[in-house]
Amino acid sequence: MSNSDAIQLTADLIRCPSVTPEEGGALVLLEAMLSSGGFSCTRVDRGDVANLFARWGAKGHARSFGFNGHTDVVPVGDAAAWTANPFGAEIRDGIMFGRGATDMKSGVAAFAAAAVDFVQNTPPDGAVILTITGDEEGDAVDGTTALLEYMKTEGEQMSVCLVGEPTCPNELGDMMKIGRRGSMTAWLTFSGVQGHSAYPHRAKNPLPTMARLMDRLASFELDTGTEHFDASTLAVVTMDTGNSATNVIPAECRATVNIRFNDAHSGASLTRWLQKMAEETALESGIDIAMDIKVSGESFITPPGALSDLVAASVTAETGRVPELSTTGGTSDARFVQAHCPVVEFGLVGKTMHKVDENVPVEQINQLKTIYTRILRDYFA
């Protein structure tokens, strides 16, 4: 009987300094572990990004369960502020410290260990697929997207997928994600004419126009929410001139806004709205406004049904908690997976992710592995 140690695997992964886009040995470690567990493994590296595809069972099987996750982590930040080695996986009072402990090396370790034990102990009639990237915390251009493109080319298919991101706000089992808001950022440049502040009539000051447009955008009610989503939000995240002189009207200033949007909108529809608002303000003021927009991901929803019921039932059976079906939070690689197959997210409590002294209670790693094992068992039952 196999009994893969998810706690030890988490520690081993934390000790891999895999700050985006460095692989740091994490995927090498996982490939060796999964290969020894009977999985067929393929590295799907692209650009500077390392990715791993692993499958147990027949290629192209009509019934396959997929897991998705990432081993890359955000930078440590101020190392002197940590009370533990960020890449040491030190355990104190039952808590493991290290960058990636929560987001999400523990999640990857839990589903990898669960998958190996499951296929060795109770070989299913179907396939188990793991897609693990080293580019979730970065630009996410050559990570899960590369894995999904590889799968399409090779005729590989997940019937459903669970992303192991931390999803619980307070207690293990209190929340799972069935969708995510879309995200987009707009960079605006306002161009006028520089001049002396004592003679404003000889200049064309872009600053009032920037302030006016930012206020209009921030004050606009995009919507009041939809069936599964809260209201969309727009945040002004920076307004800059770089002007240190008090007697100079600047020629140029810049502002950036970030929008998190629900399924009442698309990146394209919000782009048109931003352009319309900018054009109207430019016409009123005579200030030129240029804009660059990046849509990081569209909103999506996996409607409550068989997959969410399966995951929720397993969570409740192992924790005694009924998880809330949520679409809150930022973006994740589920935004890419949703175009391939139905996808939900469930993982650990995310209170310390990206923080100094990021940590995870070691007992929760085993709990998570047990939940993932039950999900696999019940899916193939």
Side-chain angles (χ1 to χ4, degrees), residues 72 74 134 194 216 263 269 307 319 322 331 333 337 357:
D72 62 315
V74 298
Q194 182 174 318
R216 287 176 175 177
D263 54 354
S269 69
L307 179 56
T319 68
V322 179
T331 59
D333 277 2
V337 178
D357 278 349

Side-chain angles (χ1 to χ4, degrees), residues 29-50:
L29 175 68
L30 284 166
E31 182 175 2
M33 177 261 193
L34 291 167
S35 295
S36 66
F39 280 75
S40 173
C41 295
T42 304
R43 284 285 291 270
V44 188
D45 298 359
R46 189 166 78 183
D48 294 329
V49 175

